[in-house]
Structures are given as C-alpha cells and as structure tokens.
Amino acid sequence: MAAGSSRTAQQRDARELALTSQPDPYRGSLRDPFADLPAEAPARPVEAVPPLPRSGGRGTPGPATVAGTIGIVLGLCQALFGTSLLLLVSLQNEYGAPDRSFYSGSDSGYVILGLVDFGLAIGCLVGGIRLMNGRVAGRVAVTATGWGTLGLSAFWYLRGHVVVAVPVLVAVAAAVMLACAYQRSVTYWLGVLPPPQPE
C-alpha cells in the first residue's frame, strides 16, 4: 500500500513536471535584433568600370585619328618641300651661272635642309600610321617630328625667303598634331596610364 501511494505520488510529480514549461536557455542573453526580419534579396554588386581599350584595340579615339592624319599630311608636304629644295639646287647648278662657287655655301645649306625635310617626312608618315594603329612608338615619332617641324617652320619664317603663310600654316598643323597626340583619351588608349578605377 505504501509502495502504491509512493508510485502514485511519483506519477503525479512526473505529470506536473511534464506539464511545466521548460525555461528558455537563451533568456537574458544578447540576440540579433534583425534575426526575425524576412530575408531580403542580396544587394546588387557594383559593376566595375570596364577598362578603356588598350593599344591595338577597337575604337580608335578621335584625337589619335586627327593626329595621325595630320602627321601623314605633314609628311607628304615635307617630302614635297625637300624635293623642291633639291630640285632648286639641281636646276641652279645646271642652268644657272657658269661659276657658282660663290653660292656653294647656300647650295649645301639647301641640300642639308632638303635632307632634313626628308627625315621629318619619314618620321611624320611612320609616326602617324603607327599612332593610328595604337603604338606608343608612333606617338614618340610624332612628338619628335612635330617639334622638329616647329623648329624648321620658325627657321623659314625668320629667313623670309618664302611666303609667310606657308611656315605659319605648317607650324599650326604641327602644334595641333602634338596637342591631339597627348589628349587623355589617347594616353589611356595607348596604355601609358592605367585605366580609371571605380571608387
């Protein structure tokens, strides 16, 4: 009888224990205030700025095309100038005065200027073509021949032996060629500077 009553008391205690709610083990601890919020779609990643085309790529910048075209035209004009100087010396030697020893200094000067014109013409032609193809060497050649053309234009302008408009026009064309060859878009296109990075 005592065993039966103790078993009944144990069953009653077990039933009460089963009906009692279990304490929250995480009560009083820190919890994430956003844990119960609905999950949102992940934020769209920021797309990186595509790099500008490097040398030899498509989309030649306009300033590079302008500089290359001016270089080719200047090269053809300077080849014409050099041919004219050499032809002038040749005609003077053939059909001029019988004794041209007095003019030998000026004749040799014209020959040297004609050869310089031919050198600048080759540099402008090759530099203009290579610049339009996206080569850094083309811009180097355009730079050297552009400054040489400016110097030669100043020489002819100060000498006063030619029409003033010719050296002025050639100097303006050379200055425009140099300015176009060093535009920022051309610099990035040639790969001299790294492309702009996203912030």
Side-chain angles (χ1 to χ4, degrees):
M1 186 79 176
S5 63
S6 64
R7 189 176 303 126
T8 305
Q10 288 178 354
Q11 288 176 352
R12 186 179 60 243
D13 292 341
R15 189 180 310 118
E16 289 178 1
L17 184 62
L19 294 176
T20 304
S21 60
Q22 297 292 329
D24 186 3
Y26 300 105
R27 184 175 181 178
S29 63
L30 298 176
R31 54 191 294 266
D32 187 3
F34 302 103
D36 298 334
L37 295 178
E40 297 180 357
R44 184 178 178 183
V46 178
E47 296 181 1
V49 177
L52 295 176
R54 295 287 184 146
S55 59
R58 294 184 179 183
T60 304
T65 304
V66 172
T69 305
I70 293 177
I72 293 172
V73 172
L74 273 181
L76 294 175
C77 291
Q78 287 174 350
L80 180 63
F81 295 157
T83 304
S84 301
L85 284 174
L86 295 181
L87 185 60
L88 176 65
V89 172
S90 176
L91 290 176
Q92 284 179 346
N93 284 332
E94 297 228 358
Y95 301 104
D99 183 14
R100 290 193 53 82
S101 58
F102 181 75
Y103 299 99
S104 59
S106 62
D107 289 348
S108 62
Y110 284 150
V111 170
I112 291 174
L113 286 175
L115 295 177
V116 169
D117 278 331
F118 279 121
L120 291 176
I122 293 172
C124 281
L125 286 170
V126 174
I129 293 171
R130 289 180 67 86
L131 178 60
M132 287 193 293
N133 288 333
R135 301 289 184 264
V136 179
R139 186 163 80 165
V140 173
V142 163
T143 302
T145 54
W147 284 106
T149 302
L150 287 174
L152 202 59
S153 298
F155 170 78
W156 283 113
Y157 180 80
L158 295 176
R159 284 289 294 268
H161 293 323
V162 296
V163 180
V164 176
V166 175
V168 170
L169 184 61
V170 171
V172 169
V176 171
M177 178 181 68
L178 289 172
C180 289
Y182 281 88
Q183 292 295 314
R184 184 177 295 273
S185 59
V186 178
T187 302
Y188 285 135
W189 179 65
L190 292 175
V192 179
L193 293 178
Q197 300 296 322
E199 295 181 359

